[in-house]
mmCIF file of all heavy atoms in Angstrom:
data_model
loop_
_atom_site.group_PDB
_atom_site.id
_atom_site.type_symbol
_atom_site.label_atom_id
_atom_site.label_comp_id
_atom_site.label_asym_id
_atom_site.label_seq_id
_atom_site.Cartn_x
_atom_site.Cartn_y
_atom_site.Cartn_z
ATOM 1 N N THR A 503 -4.543 17.893 -5.895
ATOM 2 C CA THR A 503 -3.866 17.392 -4.695
ATOM 3 C C THR A 503 -5.000 17.088 -3.645
ATOM 4 O O THR A 503 -6.021 17.803 -3.574
ATOM 5 C CB THR A 503 -2.942 18.436 -4.112
ATOM 6 O OG1 THR A 503 -2.051 18.816 -5.166
ATOM 7 C CG2 THR A 503 -2.147 17.891 -2.934
ATOM 8 N N VAL A 504 -4.813 16.016 -2.813
ATOM 9 C CA VAL A 504 -5.877 15.640 -1.851
ATOM 10 C C VAL A 504 -5.224 15.317 -0.527
ATOM 11 O O VAL A 504 -4.229 14.643 -0.409
ATOM 12 C CB VAL A 504 -6.605 14.366 -2.354
ATOM 13 C CG1 VAL A 504 -7.726 14.016 -1.391
ATOM 14 C CG2 VAL A 504 -7.159 14.585 -3.752
ATOM 15 N N ILE A 505 -5.915 15.880 0.528
ATOM 16 C CA ILE A 505 -5.600 15.502 1.917
ATOM 17 C C ILE A 505 -6.896 14.928 2.523
ATOM 18 O O ILE A 505 -7.916 15.559 2.495
ATOM 19 C CB ILE A 505 -5.168 16.773 2.766
ATOM 20 C CG1 ILE A 505 -3.908 17.437 2.176
ATOM 21 C CG2 ILE A 505 -4.978 16.356 4.231
ATOM 22 C CD1 ILE A 505 -3.535 18.708 2.895
ATOM 23 N N VAL A 506 -6.783 13.719 3.023
ATOM 24 C CA VAL A 506 -7.902 13.042 3.607
ATOM 25 C C VAL A 506 -7.694 12.710 5.029
ATOM 26 O O VAL A 506 -6.732 12.015 5.377
ATOM 27 C CB VAL A 506 -8.295 11.721 2.856
ATOM 28 C CG1 VAL A 506 -9.554 11.075 3.375
ATOM 29 C CG2 VAL A 506 -8.389 11.938 1.346
ATOM 30 N N VAL A 507 -8.553 13.239 5.913
ATOM 31 C CA VAL A 507 -8.507 12.845 7.344
ATOM 32 C C VAL A 507 -9.616 11.727 7.503
ATOM 33 O O VAL A 507 -10.763 12.017 7.333
ATOM 34 C CB VAL A 507 -8.829 14.026 8.213
ATOM 35 C CG1 VAL A 507 -8.827 13.639 9.716
ATOM 36 C CG2 VAL A 507 -7.846 15.210 8.008
ATOM 37 N N SER A 508 -9.161 10.546 7.775
ATOM 38 C CA SER A 508 -10.123 9.461 7.843
ATOM 39 C C SER A 508 -9.592 8.268 8.629
ATOM 40 O O SER A 508 -8.383 8.086 8.741
ATOM 41 C CB SER A 508 -10.475 8.951 6.370
ATOM 42 O OG SER A 508 -11.321 7.894 6.344
ATOM 43 N N HIS A 509 -10.513 7.516 9.181
ATOM 44 C CA HIS A 509 -10.216 6.257 9.874
ATOM 45 C C HIS A 509 -10.663 5.000 9.016
ATOM 46 O O HIS A 509 -10.578 3.859 9.507
ATOM 47 C CB HIS A 509 -10.865 6.239 11.236
ATOM 48 C CG HIS A 509 -12.367 6.285 11.176
ATOM 49 N ND1 HIS A 509 -13.024 7.439 11.393
ATOM 50 C CD2 HIS A 509 -13.271 5.326 10.897
ATOM 51 C CE1 HIS A 509 -14.360 7.253 11.280
ATOM 52 N NE2 HIS A 509 -14.537 5.915 10.970
ATOM 53 N N ASP A 510 -11.234 5.295 7.868
ATOM 54 C CA ASP A 510 -11.782 4.227 7.076
ATOM 55 C C ASP A 510 -10.691 3.617 6.198
ATOM 56 O O ASP A 510 -10.285 4.134 5.138
ATOM 57 C CB ASP A 510 -12.910 4.783 6.194
ATOM 58 C CG ASP A 510 -13.698 3.710 5.490
ATOM 59 O OD1 ASP A 510 -13.118 2.709 5.044
ATOM 60 O OD2 ASP A 510 -14.903 3.924 5.321
ATOM 61 N N ARG A 511 -10.162 2.472 6.629
ATOM 62 C CA ARG A 511 -9.029 1.829 5.946
ATOM 63 C C ARG A 511 -9.387 1.413 4.513
ATOM 64 O O ARG A 511 -8.549 1.612 3.563
ATOM 65 C CB ARG A 511 -8.567 0.603 6.733
ATOM 66 C CG ARG A 511 -7.990 0.946 8.100
ATOM 67 C CD ARG A 511 -7.994 -0.248 9.013
ATOM 68 N NE ARG A 511 -9.360 -0.587 9.344
ATOM 69 C CZ ARG A 511 -9.755 -1.625 10.043
ATOM 70 N NH1 ARG A 511 -8.819 -2.498 10.501
ATOM 71 N NH2 ARG A 511 -11.018 -1.845 10.316
ATOM 72 N N GLU A 512 -10.545 0.882 4.306
ATOM 73 C CA GLU A 512 -10.980 0.432 2.999
ATOM 74 C C GLU A 512 -11.051 1.586 2.033
ATOM 75 O O GLU A 512 -10.685 1.505 0.854
ATOM 76 C CB GLU A 512 -12.327 -0.269 3.086
ATOM 77 C CG GLU A 512 -12.866 -0.826 1.748
ATOM 78 C CD GLU A 512 -12.072 -1.998 1.203
ATOM 79 O OE1 GLU A 512 -11.421 -2.681 2.113
ATOM 80 O OE2 GLU A 512 -12.054 -2.175 0.053
ATOM 81 N N PHE A 513 -11.552 2.724 2.485
ATOM 82 C CA PHE A 513 -11.658 3.920 1.692
ATOM 83 C C PHE A 513 -10.254 4.422 1.298
ATOM 84 O O PHE A 513 -9.983 4.877 0.181
ATOM 85 C CB PHE A 513 -12.452 5.042 2.441
ATOM 86 C CG PHE A 513 -12.673 6.243 1.660
ATOM 87 C CD1 PHE A 513 -13.577 6.298 0.617
ATOM 88 C CD2 PHE A 513 -11.938 7.409 1.909
ATOM 89 C CE1 PHE A 513 -13.763 7.421 -0.126
ATOM 90 C CE2 PHE A 513 -12.159 8.614 1.149
ATOM 91 C CZ PHE A 513 -13.072 8.591 0.194
ATOM 92 N N LEU A 514 -9.334 4.427 2.213
ATOM 93 C CA LEU A 514 -8.006 4.945 2.021
ATOM 94 C C LEU A 514 -7.133 3.972 1.140
ATOM 95 O O LEU A 514 -6.236 4.410 0.466
ATOM 96 C CB LEU A 514 -7.204 5.228 3.349
ATOM 97 C CG LEU A 514 -7.855 6.361 4.250
ATOM 98 C CD1 LEU A 514 -7.133 6.388 5.547
ATOM 99 C CD2 LEU A 514 -7.784 7.677 3.533
ATOM 100 N N ASP A 515 -7.461 2.717 1.272
ATOM 101 C CA ASP A 515 -6.625 1.701 0.517
ATOM 102 C C ASP A 515 -6.727 1.921 -0.982
ATOM 103 O O ASP A 515 -7.796 1.969 -1.559
ATOM 104 C CB ASP A 515 -7.118 0.302 0.909
ATOM 105 C CG ASP A 515 -6.328 -0.759 0.255
ATOM 106 O OD1 ASP A 515 -5.090 -0.563 0.107
ATOM 107 O OD2 ASP A 515 -6.850 -1.845 -0.113
#
Side-chain angles (χ1 to χ4, degrees):
T503 309
V504 183
I505 299 173
V506 185
V507 181
S508 179
H509 60 261
D510 191 324
R511 293 159 294 174
E512 181 70 25
F513 183 74
L514 295 175
D515 184 33

